[in-house]
Amino acid sequence: MAHRSAAELEEERLEILAAQRDRAAFATLYERYVDQIHAYVYTLTHDMEQADDVTAATFTKAIEELPRFEWRGVPYSAWLYRVAGNLVSRDRRRPGWIELESRMLPDAGADPAEQVEADARAYEVRAAVAELPHDQRQAILLRFGGELRNREIAEIMERSEGAVKLLSFRALTALRRKLGAPLPAERLTGSGS
Amino acid sequence: MTPEDLLDAALESDLAAFGAAPDIRDLLETGAEVSGALGTWHLDADTRSRIYAAAIADAIAPGMNARLRALGFDRRVQAIAGGAVVILAALAALGVAVGRGRRRAPAAASALGAT
């Protein structure tokens, strides 16, 4: 799994400093993380409208807190995920529903038939993740969607690192049982690892 | 070593753990597929802009979006209003900057004249 390198973290630290000096520079951080945070919230809530609202609220909070933000050597996304997770917990009263992901962009340049198959499989995978118990779902989203380390996930979820490992193991075991082996192309490339 | 420790070590590219437990390979494969599926989540430009406008507008004028929603305005109106707030804020900032420039100008001119 690809975690952030020291050089990438340093680059991010500088981007945060730049955004603290000039709010317009925050757009770089927004562009990097908006898809991840939106996917995280949508998979937790199954509700596109709520995903839009919570994502916006997460970045509002990020902009408001920017002057007070202190770099702690972990990806900025760890903080964003924590804010988004808290907002989702606070907003649990609204009923959720699954809707088509009509606003997702297709992969440009891909063979249409293969693209349809890959999209269908990706949708199937995301739907399977969405059906996991809440804690397992959160652990999987933070680990494989956010590419965070166990200690960062443990902090966000307020669980021990051991508990996070166990949640990831159970979740992947359940997903494997449900989904079976990946598409052949996925197996050859091992994409995303 | 527990299965979850073994999987974790393999996910962290510990090749020894990977080799010691061939069954873990299936879970790694699924993990890679999940990672790929989550990585395909890309919002379109319109949605990205709308969410950003809403975030900025709420940071500048807290509660505005909630009030618009309560009045029955849809998301496009909220986005337009958000954009307007952002433009007004930018204009206000520009006005402040121009004002500061004007206030500083005489001082700068007199400083130049003094040399």
Side-chain angles (χ1 to χ4, degrees):
Chain A
M1 257 193 68
H3 294 301
R4 222 68 65 74
S5 69
E8 286 168 330
L9 284 175
E10 175 59 11
E11 189 185 337
E12 186 158 275
R13 186 182 72 82
L14 295 174
E15 284 168 357
I16 291 168
L17 279 176
Q20 285 175 324
R21 283 193 293 266
D22 175 10
R23 195 185 273 183
F26 183 78
T28 309
L29 293 162
Y30 173 80
E31 282 298 326
R32 179 173 309 146
Y33 291 124
V34 63
D35 289 328
Q36 283 183 29
I37 296 299
H38 195 273
Y40 175 64
V41 177
Y42 177 72
T43 313
L44 288 179
T45 62
H46 306 175
D47 178 344
M48 196 62 87
E49 192 176 315
Q50 195 176 3
D52 289 359
D53 288 348
V54 171
T55 303
T58 300
F59 284 100
T60 297
K61 179 94 174 152
I63 293 163
E64 287 169 349
E65 294 295 324
L66 197 55
R68 292 177 289 281
F69 183 83
E70 287 179 22
W71 178 253
R72 291 165 50 218
V74 298
Y76 187 57
S77 57
W79 188 81
L80 293 173
Y81 277 115
R82 183 202 282 260
V83 172
N86 287 342
L87 290 171
V88 168
S89 304
R90 210 184 298 166
D91 210 11
R92 279 257 178 84
R93 285 161 297 164
R94 291 174 63 171
W97 66 86
I98 299 269
E99 61 178 74
L100 289 174
E101 298 164 7
S102 56
R103 288 180 290 134
M104 301 301 124
L105 290 174
D107 187 4
D111 175 80
E114 284 177 13
Q115 184 66 46
V116 167
E117 191 184 14
D119 283 352
R121 179 65 178 183
Y123 182 85
E124 190 185 356
V125 172
R126 287 198 295 264
V129 172
E131 285 172 15
L132 290 169
H134 182 78
D135 280 0
Q136 290 184 23
R137 199 185 330 157
Q138 206 176 2
I140 284 292
L141 288 170
L142 293 170
R143 176 138 205 174
F144 296 99
E147 297 181 347
L148 298 177
R149 294 175 189 279
N150 282 334
R151 66 180 159 81
E152 294 157 0
I153 298 169
E155 204 176 312
I156 292 167
M157 293 181 67
E158 297 179 344
R159 306 286 291 264
S160 68
E161 282 189 49
V164 170
K165 281 185 200 174
L166 192 56
L167 286 169
S168 300
F169 179 80
R170 286 180 178 161
L172 281 184
T173 304
L175 289 171
R176 182 69 182 196
R177 264 190 221 127
K178 188 173 180 69
L179 296 165
L183 294 174
E186 197 79 23
R187 296 188 79 130
L188 287 173
T189 57
S191 74
S193 58
Chain B
M1 212 176 191
T2 62
E4 58 269 23
D5 284 331
L6 214 51
L7 173 65
D8 191 63
L11 284 169
E12 295 297 330
S13 306
D14 182 336
L15 293 177
F18 183 79
D23 289 351
I24 295 293
R25 188 186 173 96
D26 285 352
L27 299 185
L28 289 177
E29 232 176 33
T30 298
E33 191 178 28
V34 169
S35 189
L38 293 173
T40 61
W41 189 274
H42 298 298
L43 294 171
D44 61 45
D46 180 46
T47 306
R48 299 168 88 85
S49 305
R50 189 166 44 71
I51 291 175
Y52 197 50
I56 296 272
D58 242 3
I60 295 171
M64 187 193 72
N65 285 330
R67 283 196 291 276
L68 284 173
R69 221 168 313 169
L71 290 169
F73 290 108
D74 72 6
R75 283 155 179 276
R76 299 223 170 246
V77 174
Q78 289 172 41
I80 291 165
V85 167
V86 172
I87 290 167
L88 285 174
L91 288 174
L94 189 65
V96 168
V98 169
R100 275 185 192 152
R102 280 195 188 134
R103 279 198 300 277
R104 277 181 197 157
S110 61
L112 283 172
T115 53

